[in-house]
Amino acid sequence: MSLTVVGSLAFDAVETPFGKRDRMLGGAATHFALAASFFDEVHVVGPVGDDFGDEEMAILSTRGTNVDDVERVAGGKTFFWAGKYSANLNERETLDTQLNVFETFEPKLSQASRDADVLFLANIVPDLQYEVREQCERARFVAMDSMNLWIDIARESLEKVIARVDCLILNDEELEQLTEAPNLVTAAAQVLQMGPSVVVAKQGKYGAALFTADDHFWIPAYPLETVVDPTGAGDTFAGGFVGYVAAHRDQPLTPAVLRRAMAYGTALASFNVEEFGTDRVARLTADEIGPRVEQLVQITRFESHPLTLRG
Amino acid sequence: MSLTVVGSLAFDAVETPFGKRDRMLGGAATHFALAASFFDEVHVVGPVGDDFGDEEMAILSTRGTNVDDVERVAGGKTFFWAGKYSANLNERETLDTQLNVFETFEPKLSQASRDADVLFLANIVPDLQYEVREQCERARFVAMDSMNLWIDIARESLEKVIARVDCLILNDEELEQLTEAPNLVTAAAQVLQMGPSVVVAKQGKYGAALFTADDHFWIPAYPLETVVDPTGAGDTFAGGFVGYVAAHRDQPLTPAVLRRAMAYGTALASFNVEEFGTDRVARLTADEIGPRVEQLVQITRFESHPLTLRG
């Protein structure tokens, strides 16, 4: 009984209006694992280079995450990404991307990783996502992320993976791009015809939305006065969301469970953005999370009330 | 006991991916009044030209809105705005703005309009908003809108009006621009120090947020599969929000009342965008609104639930 994630382990260089880091641990699988490890034993699958040290491995192993399938490529360098955020953090510019060991990555899953009953395919080239998905025959819930690049250059491969997963987690604009739908509601309805039974639309600082055949749910981002670095927020959200689902794998996946999963993902993501990189979530403790989930209940709740209108 | 709105009455030319209208009734006061008239007797104050005909006046008068203070400027032309929306309706380009009668507008309020106990100052030049606000001495709740232009070129005048109102309703990015705050939560907190006791952040297709000294509330936009023309959505939202407050003027302005006001504003705005201009809200009936408010309750509700986390 475990949760496997396949995706990037990286060094990030990030500049925001609140500071600058030249080299810190990042990558989708890293952020995902740090969040999901609150809910389940996580197995991380991804490549690193010689420059990935004990310190990074220790952070990745937080809360017992299994790193046996982190593949160290001798003579290789770890994936590197550099980006700069705009004044209000709404936009970011990629300054540098060095694929390094990712260029020739072929996921090799140990039996333990293949035996996972929950699987998250972080954003990597769709053909690799497909291979991994097929290796995990016992997975009862498979979720995936992707990005605009693959919609542009590998749509066919991407659609082939999407057809084989239970849940697609994507930015709202990417969902619209994927389906060529004029709005999110229509886009989500179309994705539900492509294979997944659950669609999650990430809306950045505005929150996230959930769509299934018989449920719609919208949750705002957790309101923060301090946002330092949005890098990894989406993957942290996914870690909280998929982690929550994994922790409830023995229950039916009801709207109530999925909605709470959205709330946990939202709460986790809010911690991620408060500090650079993995700093905040790596030292986060379990008792800090519940109060933010409860606060999300409080700031969204209202009662309808009979009212006689004019006209 | 009535609700006065001062603002623009206009002809709009609008092009969206779903169609094109060369000339239709628009203007902030128009959209506001059509929504607010479900809740209270609305008095509209604003100038029109000779080209504003009986048909437009009839739409404006929907649900008993009082148009005695609509000033017809002999020989003048009605304010005209032309704009074009992007494919996903997220952005719009202003193609033409003709102030016409608005250029020399000096609001003249009848005693009936001055006696309003609720006042909405739609987006017009701040000095005029201030004049009107001072004329309405009996107003117990005054709300206002504005725009980035006035923050840029008339900040001092704008801050003077803001200091005299109970509620500022602005786009989230305008709130950030006004306060030079790096995020919405900080911006709203700063506006609460400038005079208003209620701040509403409009977030376009993502919804809206409410801030008071002791409450935060976030509500998504009502999910729609058909969005045809976003023009006037913000003013329709304001009409529903301020209208709901007006209808409950004899009760304390509790978080529960304000949250429901946000839901009514959201529901009203959702009808507005389904068709061009005023078409949908002009023929909207009272019994159509409640179900959307109830639906908003349903798509945002979740229960927190004790969960033992790892780590």
Side-chain angles (χ1 to χ4, degrees):
Chain A
M1 300 272 282
S2 63
L3 165 53
T4 293
V5 53
V6 180
S8 61
L9 306 160
F11 285 112
D12 289 344
V14 170
E15 186 176 348
T16 83
F18 308 99
K20 190 169 181 301
R21 294 289 174 91
D22 290 333
R23 182 185 175 84
M24 60 186 183
L25 178 58
T30 303
H31 288 289
F32 179 93
L34 280 169
S37 58
F38 280 106
F39 302 90
D40 204 354
E41 184 185 308
V42 180
H43 289 244
V44 175
V45 181
V48 298
D50 293 328
D51 51 352
F52 201 85
D54 291 345
E55 198 188 331
E56 287 79 28
M57 207 63 98
I59 297 174
L60 194 57
S61 308
T62 301
R63 289 175 285 274
T65 287
N66 183 307
V67 295
D68 291 350
D69 283 357
V70 172
E71 183 187 351
R72 192 181 293 276
V73 180
K77 279 181 69 184
T78 302
F79 179 74
F80 176 78
W81 178 80
K84 185 178 171 176
Y85 287 84
S86 65
N88 61 5
L89 302 174
N90 282 0
E91 278 148 46
R92 75 178 189 192
E93 185 190 352
T94 290
L95 302 176
D96 193 6
T97 305
Q98 299 172 18
L99 287 176
N100 297 332
V101 294
F102 234 86
E103 207 151 4
T104 54
F105 175 53
E106 288 177 35
K108 298 168 201 68
L109 277 66
S110 63
Q111 192 63 42
S113 288
R114 274 206 298 276
D115 280 349
D117 39 18
V118 174
L119 172 66
F120 182 66
L121 306 164
N123 170 35
I124 54 175
V125 57
D127 285 339
L128 291 187
Q129 290 180 311
Y130 187 83
E131 269 180 43
V132 172
R133 197 270 162 266
E134 295 305 302
Q135 287 181 47
C136 296
E137 292 176 1
R138 298 177 53 180
R140 286 193 282 169
F141 184 81
V142 181
M144 68 178 283
D145 188 13
S146 189
M147 72 184 294
N148 53 357
L149 174 68
W150 309 125
I151 302 173
D152 286 336
I153 69 169
R155 175 183 286 271
E156 204 172 318
S157 299
L158 179 59
E159 289 178 358
K160 197 173 140 194
V161 198
I162 291 174
R164 291 283 292 137
V165 303
D166 302 288
C167 174
L168 177 62
I169 303 177
L170 217 54
N171 292 331
D172 54 352
E173 285 172 7
E174 290 165 348
L175 285 167
E176 290 168 9
Q177 186 194 345
L178 173 68
T179 56
E180 295 171 5
N183 58 63
L184 181 57
V185 175
T186 309
Q190 289 185 26
V191 174
L192 290 173
Q193 302 300 315
M194 295 168 70
S197 55
V198 179
V199 176
V200 174
K202 296 180 286 185
Q203 302 176 308
K205 68 174 181 176
Y206 294 109
L210 168 79
F211 302 85
T212 67
D214 45 29
D215 197 37
H216 280 204
F217 175 65
W218 304 73
I219 190 166
Y222 183 87
L224 290 171
E225 288 190 41
T226 306
V227 180
V228 166
D229 173 18
T231 311
D235 297 303
T236 307
F237 171 89
F241 178 81
V242 176
Y244 190 92
V245 169
H248 295 78
R249 51 163 71 79
D250 295 327
Q251 296 175 26
L253 213 53
T254 61
V257 169
L258 287 170
R259 287 174 174 220
R260 277 197 287 274
M262 294 284 286
Y264 274 88
T266 300
L268 264 305
S270 75
F271 289 107
N272 174 268
V273 303
E274 288 184 316
E275 296 181 19
F276 275 98
T278 58
D279 289 0
R280 184 69 184 91
V281 182
R283 71 161 200 281
L284 187 66
T285 57
D287 59 348
E288 296 178 283
I289 300 169
R292 289 210 175 170
V293 172
E294 182 54 34
Q295 184 67 10
L296 284 163
V297 171
Q298 295 308 322
I299 64 167
T300 55
R301 176 145 302 196
F302 68 101
E303 315 286 337
S304 64
H305 200 267
L307 173 67
T308 305
L309 296 170
R310 303 166 80 243
Chain B
M1 301 272 282
S2 62
L3 164 53
T4 293
V5 53
V6 181
S8 61
L9 307 160
F11 285 112
D12 288 344
V14 170
E15 186 175 349
T16 83
F18 308 100
K20 191 170 181 299
R21 293 289 174 93
D22 291 333
R23 183 186 174 82
M24 61 186 182
L25 177 60
T30 302
H31 287 289
F32 179 94
L34 279 169
S37 57
F38 279 106
F39 302 90
D40 203 354
E41 184 184 307
V42 179
H43 289 245
V44 175
V45 181
V48 298
D50 293 328
D51 51 353
F52 201 85
D54 291 345
E55 198 188 331
E56 286 79 28
M57 206 63 97
I59 297 173
L60 194 57
S61 308
T62 301
R63 288 176 286 276
T65 287
N66 184 307
V67 295
D68 291 351
D69 283 358
V70 172
E71 184 187 350
R72 192 180 291 277
V73 180
K77 278 182 70 184
T78 301
F79 178 74
F80 177 79
W81 178 80
K84 185 178 171 174
Y85 288 84
S86 65
N88 60 6
L89 301 173
N90 282 359
E91 278 148 48
R92 76 178 189 192
E93 183 189 353
T94 290
L95 302 175
D96 194 5
T97 305
Q98 299 172 20
L99 288 176
N100 296 332
V101 295
F102 234 85
E103 207 151 5
T104 54
F105 175 53
E106 289 177 33
K108 299 167 200 69
L109 277 66
S110 63
Q111 193 61 44
S113 289
R114 275 205 298 276
D115 281 350
D117 38 18
V118 174
L119 173 65
F120 182 66
L121 305 165
N123 170 34
I124 55 175
V125 57
D127 285 339
L128 291 187
Q129 290 180 310
Y130 187 83
E131 270 181 44
V132 172
R133 197 273 162 265
E134 295 306 301
Q135 286 180 48
C136 295
E137 293 175 1
R138 298 177 54 179
R140 287 193 282 169
F141 184 81
V142 181
M144 67 178 284
D145 187 14
S146 189
M147 72 184 293
N148 52 357
L149 174 68
W150 309 125
I151 301 172
D152 286 335
I153 70 169
R155 176 183 285 272
E156 205 173 318
S157 299
L158 179 60
E159 289 178 357
K160 199 172 137 193
V161 198
I162 291 173
R164 291 284 291 138
V165 303
D166 303 288
C167 174
L168 178 63
I169 303 176
L170 217 54
N171 293 331
D172 55 351
E173 286 174 5
E174 291 166 346
L175 284 167
E176 290 169 10
Q177 185 193 346
L178 173 67
T179 56
E180 294 170 6
N183 58 63
L184 182 56
V185 175
T186 309
Q190 289 187 26
V191 173
L192 290 173
Q193 303 300 315
M194 295 169 71
S197 55
V198 179
V199 176
V200 174
K202 296 180 285 184
Q203 300 176 308
K205 67 175 180 177
Y206 295 107
L210 168 79
F211 302 86
T212 68
D214 45 29
D215 197 38
H216 281 204
F217 175 66
W218 304 71
I219 189 166
Y222 182 87
L224 290 171
E225 288 189 42
T226 306
V227 180
V228 165
D229 173 18
T231 312
D235 297 302
T236 307
F237 171 88
F241 178 81
V242 176
Y244 190 92
V245 168
H248 295 77
R249 51 164 70 77
D250 295 328
Q251 297 175 25
L253 212 53
T254 60
V257 169
L258 287 170
R259 286 174 175 220
R260 277 198 286 275
M262 294 284 286
Y264 274 88
T266 300
L268 263 306
S270 75
F271 289 107
N272 173 269
V273 303
E274 287 184 316
E275 297 181 19
F276 274 99
T278 58
D279 290 0
R280 185 68 185 93
V281 182
R283 69 161 202 281
L284 188 65
T285 57
D287 59 349
E288 296 177 283
I289 301 169
R292 289 210 175 170
V293 172
E294 181 54 34
Q295 184 67 9
L296 284 162
V297 171
Q298 296 306 322
I299 63 168
T300 55
R301 177 146 301 196
F302 68 102
E303 315 286 336
S304 64
H305 199 267
L307 173 67
T308 305
L309 296 170
R310 303 166 81 245

